[in-house]
Amino acid sequence: MSDVFGISPSDAGLGALVTLVVLLIYTGRLVPRRNLEDVITDRDNWRQAFFESEAARKVEHEQTGELLEMARLGGHILTALPRPGQADEEEVTADARMDPAPRTRR
């Protein structure tokens, strides 16, 4: 038979084998099947959550790119609009307004 920690199981007594099993459980090298299945289930749940998170991040990244392109387009449109006084090469006075509504004094 094979040696375990340098001791042959046939040479060791029942007490030594039970002690060995208890030490393996205590040190975490031997775990119950229920605990192992719980750890595997937990790992699979976290893996699935990671994949869902990555899919959502990818969609968000694509949407952010589209929004940035729309913002660039809006910036180009705003810079292309004529400003008061620049279209006709005339000077802008202090009473020039963007809105056509007349001023009312209170």
Side-chain angles (χ1 to χ4, degrees):
M1 290 192 117
S2 65
D3 290 345
V4 177
F5 296 119
I7 300 172
S8 175
S10 61
D11 294 341
L14 182 60
L17 289 178
V18 170
T19 304
L20 178 65
V21 170
V22 169
L23 284 175
L24 288 174
I25 291 173
Y26 184 70
T27 59
R29 295 177 190 223
L30 185 64
V31 294
R33 175 177 282 174
R34 181 183 54 206
N35 290 356
L36 179 64
E37 289 173 353
D38 289 345
V39 169
I40 290 173
T41 303
D42 192 38
R43 179 200 65 189
D44 292 341
N45 289 340
W46 278 107
R47 180 178 288 162
Q48 183 64 30
F50 171 75
F51 288 143
E52 290 174 5
S53 172
E54 285 299 304
R57 187 192 61 78
K58 182 179 177 185
V59 169
E60 179 183 1
H61 181 70
E62 291 170 357
Q63 288 177 349
T64 303
E66 291 176 11
L67 290 173
L68 284 173
E69 187 61 34
M70 295 296 275
R72 284 188 197 108
L73 177 64
H76 289 303
I77 290 172
L78 288 176
T79 56
L81 290 175
R83 295 191 176 108
Q86 289 182 348
D88 298 332
E89 299 296 328
E90 62 188 38
E91 186 175 327
V92 178
T93 60
D95 61 337
R97 292 178 45 125
M98 293 295 288
D99 58 343
R103 286 189 186 188
T104 58
R105 296 197 181 223
R106 293 184 180 181

